[in-house]
Amino acid sequence: MNSVEAERGKVRLRPPRNALDQRVVGWWRLQGTFFWGAPVLVLVVLGLLVTPARFWLLTPAAVFAVMGLVWVIAMPLWWFKVHRWEVTETAVYARSGFFWQEWRVAPMSRIQTVDTLRGPLQQVFKLATVTVTTASARGAVKIRGLDHELAASLAEQLTETTQATPGDAT
């Protein structure tokens, strides 16, 4: 936060500075493998079992496999470049998305709860998601793909900061 922002006490929409943990690329790739691999596997098994429809089942399986491979290689790298987060004294900033990029700002005075989540795949990669719930109709601000220890520390810091910040969080 620059000194002009601090003096005015304003929260401004700006690009967040921090990248996610690099292990998030592997997590996203594994999710993509499951997403694309399931229909490919079903089509291949059916293609091997149903001989008259083999061509009509294995052709889409091959197309899905190629599309999935391109997605698993390219998308996580692109997302890693786009997704950013930052916490200042006045707000939580998050940017996510692909074609439609979303920048979110949650002023400290509006934060109601701070949660962390570690799903099974996140646990394998030692990652976590921090969810900052506000009174906004737009919903919570989520920072996915943080190191699990950093996420726990960040949740603790945000909880302490919001308790010390005046405002009714509504």
Side-chain angles (χ1 to χ4, degrees):
M1 178 168 65
N2 64 36
S3 60
V4 174
E5 260 182 60
E7 287 176 24
R8 294 181 185 163
K10 289 185 178 180
V11 176
R12 301 177 72 174
L13 185 61
R14 59 175 179 71
R17 293 186 177 102
N18 302 321
L20 301 177
D21 190 287
Q22 289 185 339
R23 291 173 287 186
V24 76
V25 173
W27 177 48
W28 286 332
R29 283 188 172 152
L30 189 56
Q31 286 178 314
T33 299
F34 289 147
F35 178 82
W36 289 95
V40 169
L41 182 63
V42 168
L43 288 169
V44 167
V45 168
L46 287 174
L48 296 175
L49 294 175
V50 183
T51 308
R54 183 166 287 157
F55 174 80
W56 299 107
L57 293 167
L58 294 181
T59 300
V63 170
F64 280 160
V66 170
M67 289 171 45
L69 183 62
V70 169
W71 189 97
V72 165
I73 291 170
M75 290 303 298
L77 294 174
W78 182 326
W79 283 345
F80 185 74
K81 290 179 182 179
V82 171
H83 289 221
R84 294 284 182 264
W85 69 278
E86 184 176 359
V87 174
T88 67
E89 293 176 8
T90 57
V92 176
Y93 296 82
R95 183 178 71 188
S96 61
F98 175 56
F99 287 122
W100 288 269
Q101 294 179 12
E102 179 179 52
W103 292 16
R104 302 282 309 273
V105 180
M108 291 294 177
S109 63
R110 304 286 289 177
I111 294 175
Q112 295 177 326
T113 62
V114 179
D115 304 300
T116 59
L117 171 71
R118 294 185 66 213
L121 291 180
Q122 286 179 309
Q123 291 178 39
V124 169
F125 286 93
K126 296 184 173 133
L127 297 171
T129 298
V130 172
T131 303
V132 178
T133 306
T134 67
S136 168
R138 188 79 172 123
V141 174
K142 293 187 179 192
I143 306 169
R144 295 176 175 92
L146 296 177
D147 174 80
H148 72 284
E149 291 176 0
L150 173 62
S153 172
L154 183 61
E156 185 178 329
Q157 173 195 345
L158 285 171
T159 300
E160 289 172 5
T161 303
T162 55
Q163 285 178 347
T165 302
D168 62 359
T170 58

